[in-house]
Amino acid sequence: MNLNNVNIMGNLTRDPQMKCLPSGKEVCNLSIANNRVFMKNGEKVSEVSYFDVDVWGITAENCSKYLTKGNGIIVEGRLRQDRWEKDGKTQSRVRITANAVHFLPKKQNNSSGEKLVEPQSDAVGQSEDVSWEE
């Protein structure tokens, strides 16, 4: 048995980047920041981690069309490790391949300074289960 499942919430650190591969398939690359707050020695500590996300199919199109830097999302997916040789050394990186991306509501300020939440679709659908084919 194998288990490889990731659920993560974060904010986009840049606008989505759509890319067309030689195979003709499109992938949307997202970069998210995930904030963790915890107590250490009685003090609140904040830790930020950054993750790259690959989104495929109709979900990729929707992410590219509707998301911008700063938007909050929840990603359901799996981890994928890429490995390659460079200057005789093995390099690697771990990315998240999205199965689904959920858009979080955008926060807005009204004239009195109160934050309002804009209703928005909860999910943009399922991505195709494909891998990089460059």
Side-chain angles (χ1 to χ4, degrees), residues 42-72:
E43 292 187 32
K44 190 188 285 188
V45 178
S46 183
E47 175 183 274
V48 181
S49 297
Y50 300 91
F51 300 95
D52 292 321
V53 181
D54 296 328
V55 187
W56 300 88
I58 189 70
T59 305
E61 293 174 30
N62 287 332
C63 286
S64 178
K65 186 174 180 181
Y66 297 112
L67 293 175
T68 58
K69 179 180 177 178
N71 287 134

Side-chain angles (χ1 to χ4, degrees), residues 94-112:
V94 175
R95 300 176 69 85
I96 298 171
T97 299
N99 294 327
V101 175
H102 305 272
F103 295 177
L104 296 177
K106 294 179 183 177
K107 293 180 182 176
Q108 296 181 346
N109 290 331
N110 66 12
S111 58
S112 65

Side-chain angles (χ1 to χ4, degrees), residues 20-32:
C20 187
L21 302 179
S23 66
K25 293 186 183 204
E26 290 186 319
V27 61
C28 185
N29 302 123
L30 308 176
S31 180
I32 63 170

Side-chain angles (χ1 to χ4, degrees), residues 13-25:
T13 61
R14 59 177 166 75
D15 288 341
Q17 297 176 339
M18 207 56 173
K19 198 185 217 183
C20 187
L21 302 179
S23 66
K25 293 186 183 204

Side-chain angles (χ1 to χ4, degrees), residues 74-131:
I74 297 173
V75 176
E76 298 175 30
R78 61 184 170 82
L79 297 177
R80 182 173 193 280
Q81 183 182 38
D82 295 322
R83 293 178 144 185
W84 66 95
E85 287 278 327
K86 183 175 181 182
D87 300 328
K89 294 183 181 179
T90 301
Q91 307 285 318
S92 71
R93 70 176 173 200
V94 175
R95 300 176 69 85
I96 298 171
T97 299
N99 294 327
V101 175
H102 305 272
F103 295 177
L104 296 177
K106 294 179 183 177
K107 293 180 182 176
Q108 296 181 346
N109 290 331
N110 66 12
S111 58
S112 65
E114 294 178 39
K115 289 190 176 183
L116 301 175
V117 176
E118 174 184 315
Q120 193 173 20
S121 172
D122 176 71
V124 293
Q126 301 292 320
S127 289
E128 298 173 25
D129 188 16
V130 295
S131 297

